[in-house]
Amino acid sequence: LGEFHADAETAVSQREKVAWAKRYGNWMGESALVSREGKRVPVSKQILAHRSAEGEVIYLSIVARDITERLAAEQALRESEKRYRELIESQGDGVVLVYADQRLTFANPAADELLGVQAGGLVGRYLQEFLPEADRATVREQVKLRREGKRSSYELEIIAGGGRQRQLLVSANPRIDGGGRFCGSLLVLRDITEQKQAGEQIARSEQLLRTILDVLPQRVFWKDRKGRYIGANNQFLADCGMSNVAGKTDFDMPWPRHQADSFRADDRRVIESGSPHLDIVEQITRATGETMWLSTSKVPMRNEQGEVVGVLGTYLDLT
């Protein structure tokens, strides 16, 4: 037998396998044979001991199956799993797998860090442990969607280790087993705490700016390059008798056509020249029919590249 086995299998190990088969009647395992071309062929092998009527082993039979393709497939699978694991573990976002009962079965290092636990400390726990009571209802509603085979994105607040509060954007996908049954979810957790804080700060800044604009005695408005209003303060809205002017032009306002033509010409001059046009003394007819004398100033609005994208105007009532 030894003449047919690859060099990795020693005569000693071969004798041990034969001895096992003689003693117990059967040995099963993996081995390697050498083909007539001298090629190493991995095999799954079974050695059977055949006995006489008196129980004496009189001969052996060997069944060997070529497992080259199976081993190659297993190796490819291991390499694929390694690549995916490296990809998941190097993610900056948290990635977790949960069972249908919401117990965590896998978490990458980013998820452990995000939720403030030691490496591997999330497996076996529940995401609800890190949620305030108000957000647990959100998770229950989301689980219903997963059971229906639907994916979604939603926001959660978590209380991480040490009591740190974080805002998460959760992207959730259902997991379906081979029988088509719901078996859990794949969740990607992105920390948006700083983004939310920045957004809230911007909103507060915009609200402050809006408050300042609305208490100024001057009327303030701004338009795009095509003469369409983008916004205005309350004093301007009162003059034109509208609650919102976004998207409208001077021809949609209550003032006469000749005034609209004059305003559009001034806008054009500022946009095309890129220079302010200041202290224009002109008239406007309000929504009430009252005529006002104005001192109007217009300046070009520019984007980050310095291109003129519209006009910002203010006027004072000189009546």
Side-chain angles (χ1 to χ4, degrees):
L1 287 176
E3 298 176 23
F4 297 95
H5 287 83
D7 55 3
E9 189 168 7
T10 66
V12 173
S13 66
Q14 180 63 32
R15 286 197 298 270
E16 290 173 348
K17 294 168 186 175
V18 170
W20 183 279
K22 285 181 177 181
R23 182 174 182 180
Y24 298 105
N26 184 14
W27 178 90
M28 297 179 63
E30 293 185 0
S31 182
L33 299 178
V34 179
S35 70
R36 67 165 61 94
E37 296 84 8
K39 178 182 177 182
R40 186 178 187 277
V41 182
V43 294
S44 63
K45 188 169 69 174
Q46 185 175 16
I47 304 176
L48 299 170
H50 300 269
R51 300 178 184 275
S52 66
E54 292 77 22
E56 181 185 356
V57 175
I58 54 177
Y59 68 91
L60 302 173
S61 63
I62 297 178
V63 179
R65 180 183 300 250
D66 186 344
I67 59 173
T68 304
E69 292 185 2
R70 192 200 81 188
L71 293 180
E74 290 175 352
Q75 179 63 25
L77 178 60
R78 285 192 294 271
E79 291 176 357
S80 176
E81 289 176 343
K82 180 182 178 183
R83 285 195 298 270
Y84 279 111
R85 179 169 290 277
E86 289 173 348
L87 176 64
I88 293 299
E89 292 187 348
S90 64
Q91 284 286 314
D93 295 334
V95 179
V96 298
L97 296 177
V98 297
Y99 280 135
D101 65 0
Q102 299 308 292
R103 185 160 44 91
L104 292 157
T105 64
F106 170 82
N108 69 345
D112 291 331
E113 183 177 354
L114 183 60
L115 296 179
V117 302
Q118 63 183 4
L122 285 178
V123 175
R125 299 180 66 175
Y126 295 84
L127 187 60
Q128 287 89 329
E129 298 176 34
F130 301 89
L131 303 179
E133 187 62 37
D135 280 354
R136 295 182 184 181
T138 299
V139 170
R140 289 193 290 269
E141 291 300 317
Q142 289 295 325
V143 173
K144 291 180 182 178
L145 295 179
R146 300 296 86 72
R147 292 184 180 278
E148 296 171 2
K150 299 177 181 177
R151 62 178 62 184
S152 66
S153 296
Y154 55 97
E155 293 184 10
L156 283 180
E157 179 182 304
I158 63 163
I159 303 174
R164 295 181 300 119
Q165 290 185 324
R166 312 298 293 174
Q167 294 289 330
L168 301 184
L169 175 63
V170 182
S171 299
N173 293 272
R175 299 176 63 210
I176 308 299
D177 65 16
R181 296 178 296 271
F182 171 75
C183 63
S185 304
L186 166 65
L187 308 179
V188 178
L189 314 176
R190 172 164 293 180
D191 188 348
I192 58 170
T193 306
E194 294 181 0
Q195 178 183 334
K196 293 282 288 186
Q197 291 173 345
E200 292 170 358
Q201 185 175 354
I202 290 172
R204 288 193 296 269
S205 297
E206 290 179 345
Q207 182 59 44
L208 176 61
L209 178 60
R210 184 79 218 184
T211 301
I212 293 171
L213 287 175
D214 286 339
V215 299
L216 288 174
Q218 293 94 337
R219 280 67 166 171
V220 183
F221 57 89
W222 49 102
K223 307 175 185 177
D224 63 18
R225 287 185 64 91
K226 295 184 177 180
R228 293 175 299 210
Y229 283 92
I230 302 172
N233 68 350
N234 284 343
Q235 286 80 352
F236 182 86
L237 296 177
D239 286 347
C240 62
M242 296 180 178
S243 60
N244 185 15
V245 293
K248 299 183 182 301
T249 71
D250 284 303
F251 299 111
D252 301 312
M253 298 300 179
W255 32 84
R257 176 80 187 205
H258 71 276
Q259 291 180 354
D261 286 334
S262 176
F263 301 154
R264 292 294 293 272
D266 286 336
D267 295 343
R268 206 73 247 141
R269 187 180 304 116
V270 171
I271 291 172
E272 291 176 357
S273 68
S275 301
H277 195 194
L278 307 176
D279 300 323
I280 313 163
V281 178
E282 56 189 357
Q283 285 186 317
I284 193 173
T285 302
R286 300 184 65 188
T288 59
E290 174 191 3
T291 298
M292 300 169 55
W293 282 96
L294 314 176
S295 173
T296 304
S297 294
K298 296 180 178 180
V299 298
M301 290 197 306
R302 299 180 184 273
N303 61 17
E304 293 179 355
Q305 290 72 42
E307 302 165 333
V308 177
V309 294
V311 61
L312 170 69
T314 68
Y315 63 81
L316 279 169
D317 181 4
L318 300 181
T319 311

